[in-house]
Amino acid sequence: MTRSSVQVEDARPDAPDAGEQDDAAESGGDGESGGEGGGRVRPRRGRRALRWTAVILAVLLLGTAGAGYLYYQHLNDNIKKDVLNLGDHKVAEPTPNAAGQTPLNILVIGSDARDTEENRELGGARETFGSTPLADVQMLVHLSADRSNMSVVSMPRDTLVKIPKCTDPDDGKVYPASRGRVMTNQSLGHGGPGCTVATWQELTGIHIDHFVMVDFAGVVSMADAVGGVPVCVDANIHSRDGQGHGSGLKLEKGTHPVKGEQALQWLRTRYGFEDGSDLARAKAQHMYMSSMVRVLRENATLSSPGKLRRLAEEATRALTVDPGLDTVKKLYDLSTELRKVEPERITMTTMPNRYVGARVEPTEDAERLFRMVREDIALDGKDPEKKPAGAQTKVSDDPAAEDGEIAVQVRNGTRTDTRSQAPGRAGTVAALLVDKGFAKAVADPSVLPSEDRTVVRYPSADLEGDARRVAESLGIPPDSVRRSTDVSGVTLIVGADWREGTAYEPPAADDETPESAEALNGADEEACMHVNPAFTWS
């Protein structure tokens, strides 16, 4: 679905877009306000790259800033810790490659918490002071098993997802699974960042090794410590209209280094870039991130001990991490791994999505992107050889029941955006399973949204073996078997790739990064933001 170029405002009360003057007045709603449909206008996605900047700076530089044990321990004490995963669904680690290496997945979370004076000043929106924080920035950083390439997948904050049941280990409080789909940024309020991790794993099937969460505080000063990041505009720009909307960014045509407040303005600018949409703002943020990575690798001014010490102080105070990253030493070890990747092998993307009312949901292209990450396929297309489908899938140790004892529901998910549902597919495939000895296979007449590929879903670990046995009997590849809270038992969803016949032929793996992911290469120094003529000056 093509995004509209019409500029809309964010009517959500729970996540105003701080920093622009049009954010103060937002209307109310109840606890289900993040759900599907409705006539609400589309929310904006801001502040992503600002927090991403903090994370990259911290991870790349923290380890070089310590001077002596006491100072090292002081920095360690600055770092806040939280549990990695609060959900029941634990995705198996990927199978090591021939060299014994495994990929590394880090979820970067940006919290909009207004819990300190600094955060309130930076975040604005007084009506949100003291409210439950939201995970308004969510980016998965995937480092390949051989450490040759890195992929970044960002998820829009208003993506509709099922938040799984999460349990807070500190007080034992249980947050039940969401009723229906809600906005993904609400996951942070279900016990902390560990629930955001659980939500990602539930949606994508990707094993997440670590998370790093950052709030507003200290980010601007860290942007200053870098010494300026070059950005480009193709015309003079002033992000301000007659009603006071805009970030205030004012730049002349060409390439300019931005830092401090001006860097913050660049990262928040929506009014003035291209069509004024969040997609344009995300593109500007990705350009900033790529440029910043290049600066960090080349800028000699960061060798200054004083600057590094100040940066380390600010970064450690801004970070919340899982126990696997809770010391400067662990962060430095991670930075060593990340620094192995050259900028030209870094690919930044946004999860492909389409509108559902005022919100968005993942598309078939998003599932392709997730599969490529699961299978450790480079998003830049430069893998020396293609990995066979399912190569990174770890087979379950859960034994399957006898075929005749496995209850299977078969559903028809063959409808697509361009083709109607193929009639009778659930009944045909259910009958096929019965013929193969699965006597408890039945057709479910439920009307489903489209499934690009035929999949087998199961709700709990004790049914994984049964689900894999069903897939095996039909020739469905292992990577199409996934755990999901959307089903109550082993469920086979006949996808758009099996609209006819009784012999399933898995489609050839499409290992090209979807165009809808808006991929940006980390070495692209020619990228330049197009300025909307309504926001230029002479």
Side-chain angles (χ1 to χ4, degrees), residues 6 46 49 86 88 143 167 213 244 271 296 348 392 424 452 475 498 530:
V6 176
L86 300 183
D88 295 330
L143 184 62
T167 304
M213 185 170 73
Y271 293 92
L296 288 175
M348 298 183 179
Q392 294 292 331
D452 188 44
W498 197 10
H530 174 62

Side-chain angles (χ1 to χ4, degrees), residues 180 500 524:
E500 58 185 24
D524 185 355

Side-chain angles (χ1 to χ4, degrees), residues 250-535:
K250 190 171 185 178
L251 287 175
E252 294 182 356
K253 176 181 178 180
T255 300
H256 310 274
V258 295
K259 61 181 181 179
E261 183 178 357
Q262 197 170 46
L264 175 60
Q265 290 173 337
W266 174 274
L267 297 168
R268 289 177 172 173
T269 294
R270 180 168 67 91
Y271 293 92
F273 286 151
E274 299 187 351
D275 61 359
S277 70
D278 284 320
L279 198 59
R281 176 159 55 187
K283 186 182 295 185
Q285 292 169 348
H286 284 162
M287 288 182 185
Y288 182 92
M289 290 183 240
S290 298
S291 182
M292 181 195 62
V293 170
R294 295 192 297 271
V295 167
L296 288 175
R297 296 178 69 94
E298 300 168 4
N299 193 341
T301 65
L302 290 175
S303 62
S304 164
K307 287 186 176 181
L308 285 173
R309 183 183 180 112
R310 180 165 62 90
L311 179 60
E313 289 282 353
E314 297 292 349
T316 50
R317 282 202 297 263
L319 293 178
T320 300
V321 299
D322 68 274
L325 293 177
D326 62 358
T327 67
V328 171
K329 171 65 166 59
K330 292 175 182 178
L331 287 167
Y332 180 67
D333 288 344
L334 175 61
S335 77
T336 300
E337 296 296 292
L338 295 174
R339 284 200 301 266
K340 294 177 181 178
V341 182
E342 297 293 330
E344 57 266 22
R345 296 303 312 276
I346 297 174
T347 306
M348 298 183 179
T349 64
T350 298
M351 181 198 77
N353 58 84
R354 60 179 163 235
Y355 284 111
V356 178
R359 311 305 181 197
V360 300
E361 66 181 5
T363 63
E364 293 77 13
D365 281 354
E367 172 52 33
R368 191 203 312 176
L369 201 64
F370 298 152
R371 178 183 59 80
M372 291 176 70
V373 173
R374 288 196 302 268
E375 297 178 7
D376 197 25
I377 298 171
L379 298 187
D380 62 4
K382 296 179 181 178
D383 275 335
E385 59 181 271
K386 295 292 185 183
K387 301 174 178 65
Q392 294 292 331
T393 302
K394 187 174 181 178
V395 177
S396 169
D397 295 328
D398 176 53
E402 295 295 326
D403 291 355
E405 297 301 316
I406 299 176
V408 188
Q409 287 189 336
V410 183
R411 299 179 179 177
N412 189 338
T414 57
R415 185 181 62 189
T416 70
D417 291 339
T418 58
R419 303 181 70 180
S420 61
Q421 188 180 69
R425 294 305 296 158
T428 298
V429 176
L432 176 62
L433 283 170
V434 171
D435 288 344
K436 289 178 175 291
F438 294 87
K440 295 185 177 181
V442 296
D444 183 338
S446 301
V447 177
L448 297 177
S450 61
E451 281 283 354
D452 188 44
R453 298 176 65 183
T454 297
V455 294
V456 180
R457 303 286 189 237
Y458 62 95
S460 55
D462 60 317
L463 291 176
E464 182 175 357
D466 293 354
R468 293 195 178 280
R469 172 59 192 142
V470 170
E472 179 187 26
S473 72
L474 295 172
I476 298 171
D479 64 297
S480 293
V481 180
R482 293 265 304 281
R483 183 171 171 175
S484 172
T485 56
D486 288 339
V487 297
S488 58
V490 176
T491 304
L492 189 157
I493 303 174
V494 184
D497 60 346
W498 197 10
R499 293 179 61 88
E500 58 185 24
T502 56
Y504 179 67
E505 296 183 7
D510 185 351
D511 294 341
E512 299 294 328
T513 301
E515 290 186 11
S516 55
E518 297 286 341
L520 177 68
N521 185 271
D524 185 355
E525 298 185 34
E526 304 301 319
C528 198
M529 287 304 299
H530 174 62
V531 175
N532 186 315
F535 289 86

Side-chain angles (χ1 to χ4, degrees), residues 57-344:
L57 287 170
V59 168
L60 291 180
L61 300 175
L62 270 176
T64 64
Y69 174 78
L70 291 179
Y71 184 66
Y72 171 79
Q73 191 57 49
H74 164 72
L75 292 178
N76 286 343
D77 291 342
N78 281 348
I79 303 171
K80 298 178 284 293
K81 298 81 158 174
D82 215 323
V83 180
L84 174 61
N85 189 347
L86 300 183
D88 295 330
H89 182 195
K90 311 299 182 184
V91 174
E93 296 183 17
T95 302
N97 63 15
Q101 302 165 302
T102 55
L104 192 61
N105 295 307
I106 306 110
L107 186 63
V108 177
I109 304 168
S111 167
D112 76 343
R114 272 79 163 176
D115 53 356
T116 66
E117 183 176 346
E118 289 176 292
N119 281 334
R120 289 170 182 169
E121 182 177 350
L122 288 167
R126 291 181 177 275
E127 66 274 18
T128 67
F129 287 4
S131 62
T132 302
L134 299 167
D136 271 356
V137 177
Q138 299 178 33
M139 291 183 176
L140 182 69
V141 178
H142 172 82
L143 184 62
S144 67
D146 62 7
R147 303 308 190 247
S148 68
N149 65 88
M150 186 190 304
S151 304
V152 178
V153 180
S154 60
M155 184 188 297
R157 69 175 186 177
D158 55 350
T159 302
L160 294 173
V161 298
K162 289 283 191 69
I163 298 176
K165 182 182 77 171
C166 291
T167 304
D168 189 334
D170 292 335
D171 56 13
K173 183 175 180 179
V174 176
Y175 296 83
S178 61
R179 295 177 294 168
R181 297 189 300 176
V182 299
M183 286 172 56
T184 184
N185 65 352
Q186 295 183 22
S187 59
L188 188 59
H190 288 229
C195 196
T196 304
V197 169
T199 301
W200 264 80
Q201 291 199 156
E202 184 79 21
L203 176 68
T204 68
I206 297 169
H207 175 80
I208 295 177
D209 300 280
H210 301 291
F211 77 80
V212 178
M213 185 170 73
V214 191
D215 59 18
F216 297 137
V219 176
V220 173
S221 60
M222 281 188 285
D224 275 333
V226 178
V229 171
V231 295
C232 175
V233 287
D234 67 359
N236 298 342
I237 182 174
H238 187 199
S239 178
R240 184 75 72 204
D241 67 10
Q243 288 73 48
H245 301 153
S247 68
L249 177 72
K250 190 171 185 178
L251 287 175
E252 294 182 356
K253 176 181 178 180
T255 300
H256 310 274
V258 295
K259 61 181 181 179
E261 183 178 357
Q262 197 170 46
L264 175 60
Q265 290 173 337
W266 174 274
L267 297 168
R268 289 177 172 173
T269 294
R270 180 168 67 91
Y271 293 92
F273 286 151
E274 299 187 351
D275 61 359
S277 70
D278 284 320
L279 198 59
R281 176 159 55 187
K283 186 182 295 185
Q285 292 169 348
H286 284 162
M287 288 182 185
Y288 182 92
M289 290 183 240
S290 298
S291 182
M292 181 195 62
V293 170
R294 295 192 297 271
V295 167
L296 288 175
R297 296 178 69 94
E298 300 168 4
N299 193 341
T301 65
L302 290 175
S303 62
S304 164
K307 287 186 176 181
L308 285 173
R309 183 183 180 112
R310 180 165 62 90
L311 179 60
E313 289 282 353
E314 297 292 349
T316 50
R317 282 202 297 263
L319 293 178
T320 300
V321 299
D322 68 274
L325 293 177
D326 62 358
T327 67
V328 171
K329 171 65 166 59
K330 292 175 182 178
L331 287 167
Y332 180 67
D333 288 344
L334 175 61
S335 77
T336 300
E337 296 296 292
L338 295 174
R339 284 200 301 266
K340 294 177 181 178
V341 182
E342 297 293 330
E344 57 266 22

